Amino acid sequence: MYGLGVLKGFGVTLKNFVRKPFTVQYPEERSVQHPRFRGQEFVWYEDRCTGCASCAKYCPLGIIRIVTDPDGGHEQEGGDYKVEVFDIDQGRCMYCGLCVEACPYDALHMGSTFEGATTRREDLVITMEVLNERPKHPSTWFRPQLEQQAVDPFGGAPVDSGDAGREAYRWHPKRSEDAPGGAGK
Amino acid sequence: MGGGLEGNAIYRAVYGLVVDTLGWASWLAYFIAAMVIILIVVNGVLVLGTLYTWFERRVLGRFQGRLGPNRTGPFGLLQPIADALKLMFKEDIVPRGADRLVFSLAPIVMLVPTLLVLAIIPFGRGSFLADLNIGVLYIAAVGGITTVAVLMAGYASANKFATFGSMRAVAMVVSYEIPLVMALLGVTVLAASMSMVAVVEAQHLPYLLVAPLGAGVFLVAISAELNRNPFDVLEAESELVAGYLTEYSGMKYGVFMLAEFTNTIVAGAIFAVLFLQGWQWTVLSPLGSQVGFLGFLDTGVVRQIESHFWFLFKVGLFAFAATWVRATLPRLRIDQILSLAWKVLFPLSLLNVLVLAVEVIVWPEPSVGDLAIMAAINWPVAGAAFFVAARLVSLGTRAPGLGVGAAVGVR
Amino acid sequence: MTLRTEPVVVSIGPHHPSTHGVFRMRLTFDGENIIDAEPVIGYLHRGTEKLAEERQYTQVITLTDRLDYVSSMTSNQAFVLSCEKLIGLEVPDRGMYLRVIASELQRIVSHLIGVGFFLQELGGFGGTALMYAFRERERILDLFEMLCGARITVSYSRIGGVFADAPADFWPALRRVLDDMPGYTDELEALVFESEIVQSRTKGVSPIDPVLAVNASLTGPVLRASGVAWDWRKAAPYDVYDRVDFDVPVGANGDNYDRFWVRIQEVRQSLRIVEQCIEQIEPGPVRATDAMLFRPPPGDSYVPTESPKGELGFYLVSDGSIAPYRCHVRAPSFINLSLFKEMLVGWKLADAIVSLGSLDFNMGEVDR
Ligand code: SF4
Ligand code: SF4
């Protein structure tokens, strides 16, 4: 009850007063983001997508809409389906990344931005056209090959389909010994 | 009254202008000149009050490892203006069931006493509106009115949180008025006058050094009167949302906030006058109290301006300290606050008056040397009194309503 | 003459600065003293348990993020542990270690928030203590972003381990945080622990009797503050808690101060656990299977875990399909609220708010 503890508290606040502030002045200065950041604006490579709809099936919210044409005659890697509609309703997306995890052909990647605010809900639905036009800055989330390539989703060059690495069938249960991540601490 | 005004350069200029150039009656000239001064003082202090909202947020920010408002204008200096604009354009809601008249009157009643106190504060050498011979008493009297405003706001809001807040306010302020007045009494005894100007002139040494006990009690009591940490129970945001302000919005809320922040500035001014030598600065220059740093330019105007600077500097110190306290101390509970007032502050302030009275009998009209001797006596007395108080009084909690059962073995 | 007085009923919440989300309490006051208290919950009900029944096991992980949203890692972990038991999966060592590291970091975050808000409710510091707590939390959330790309809704655990190994730059960053953390904690302690005001406000306030606490099945720091050394990490070690050495801090009086003290001590213990995990972790696979779809055999499972708030467990019933037939969450926050009335009645409003803060419950978990 002698007030010594209170005095100590005064010391702590004074120490912080002369210290540099911890905060970051957002629009001018950005805090460091990490390559695995699960951001908005998915990255989708049309030439890789087979329209298998694994992503749509694994999305816990069911917000990916895919319409495919079975005999599209479209030359696709790994399948004959032509993907006609590929909509993601970002307004309901929680960026859990399960769709990316589910995609067996490394066609879908998480994006890297977080400033996707719009004034209308409809604008949040991203369609095939939007996905195709967008510069592709895939997050390395669940894409160890991109991590090995040291892809920088923030500020690095866009990664086109040809440049983005692929995982060697790691989803295959028989090949699980190839699973990445044995390396070091 | 108005004795101080004749020494004021602005007053003389306006007065001279009106009487000599326009040839109006002298009472009219007095009126106009006084109005000009009042305008300057009131607006100056209100601007200081709004600036203080910015200052506190910036400083608090730094205490907490962040920057505080820094977007509006250079260093966020325009933040108070932005706030005021926002508040002005907000809808002014009067809740259903509220007492409209009292509800609208409360902010005014809150702000006016703050401004009234300004009348007797000497802001610098020869700059004061009135040198009341009962100045110290006047502070206590006028300052107490804010409680009425809080009570009005709380009652008129027809809101339980507001009622809680205002009831707490009344309980607290009534308790703290007594140690506050006692602390003021100590100053009066020392200076042998209640006039603020006389108090400043009698302070050959700051009374903070001479009467530490009185200054301490005053500081604690004034923060309670100001509803500042750790005594901000009446708008304790974690308990009462915003206390008596809960139902206020728009500019009414703005006026309340302005009054609160201005109150802090005014309290700083009172503290500076009563305990920090007002516009003088002996502590910084042991040579004497009457010659400033710019003493070689010993013209009236320079000295006057310099004295204002010292005064503002001291108010700033107080404001910084108030913010520092706010950043560091948690809130006390209302019963602890009351027991602090009655069990600690009241006896301490009585002791303070007693000791000072005895000392003044021994050294009437103390000089610097006498004051130094008094300080030498008073510091150990204050220390011992604080020690005893800390030893005897516990602010701890009372026994809980629940029975505490047997403890189980696992420890 | 006696004045007639009436008790006042005040509804605090659901929109109130210190009700941890949308909690509402109906308090009956006699002056400042509380004579009756009644919690009203349900404002944040999202039907998590029902939603889980129509989602595959992997998808439910995302729902667990949103239960106790200040400690998603531990919720993830509790859920996948239960699933693994149901399915009968063996988790590789590295996966378990990563889960424990993540969970302990999450425990630090959760306790920091708990302590920060507790001090905030104690009356401000003008927010200083909370700011300090958030500053430290930020460092750890950065680590989470490195690990799994999200800061709050992490979804890091997967059935059979974690989704991926930590990136290479995670370890040096973790090292830096671990080096700075004790200093931060010291600072917070110096600000509040010895402060006479904090002590006079919290010591002896709202004590919970250990017998009562056990009977009300309180768990977590709230129980330990009452002097009962019960910690699922010791009682039934899951993942790798049997391989690390740590103490279970136990309070003496079960008052607000002890609950707060226990949390700070647990932060230190968590740091110890993470240190040991870093030493022990070996390279290797992090995930037993890459499968996302599971059909567990019919049956049920429950694995109690020690979340920062207390015992968190998911009771899963499988009917052999891809989604749980029933998923019940044993939410510690909810059950810790059961002594609400006993804690509050007889104390003042200011104490009530602080006691509530000392329970450190999370409405996401209470209402589910
Ligand atoms: S990130 Fe999650 S919620 Fe969003 S589309 Fe993918 S699976 Fe659905
Ligand atoms: S899972 Fe991949 S390949 Fe299949 S539809 Fe979705 S994006 Fe295309």
Side-chain angles (χ1 to χ4, degrees), chain A residues 44 48-56 66 86 99 102-105 107-108:
Chain A
W44 180 65
R48 291 184 175 191
C49 178
T50 59
C52 70
S54 296
C55 49
I66 297 177
F86 193 95
C99 49
C103 178
Y105 301 100
L108 192 63

Side-chain angles (χ1 to χ4, degrees), chain A residues 106-177:
Chain A
D106 294 347
L108 192 63
H109 300 71
M110 296 305 288
S112 53
T113 64
F114 55 88
E115 289 157 321
T118 60
T119 45
R120 291 189 313 155
R121 273 197 101 88
E122 301 88 81
D123 297 346
L124 287 171
V125 179
I126 48 176
T127 59
M128 236 166 103
E129 288 74 46
V130 180
L131 282 168
N132 277 335
E133 277 165 23
R134 231 173 231 162
K136 305 204 184 316
H137 292 288
S139 152
T140 65
W141 192 84
F142 218 84
R143 293 285 177 256
Q145 68 273 23
L146 294 186
E147 222 155 71
Q148 271 156 26
Q149 270 174 259
V151 168
D152 176 16
F154 321 99
V159 187
D160 287 328
S161 165
D163 308 338
R166 284 209 190 218
E167 180 98 43
Y169 295 89
R170 65 178 290 269
W171 66 91
H172 201 281
K174 286 186 189 150
R175 302 284 297 273
S176 66
E177 72 275 8

Side-chain angles (χ1 to χ4, degrees), chain B residues 98-119:
Chain B
D99 188 328
R100 283 185 154 271
L101 181 71
V102 181
F103 188 80
S104 310
L105 217 52
I108 304 170
V109 178
M110 183 82 175
L111 187 59
V112 167
T114 312
L115 301 179
L116 283 179
V117 173
L118 296 180

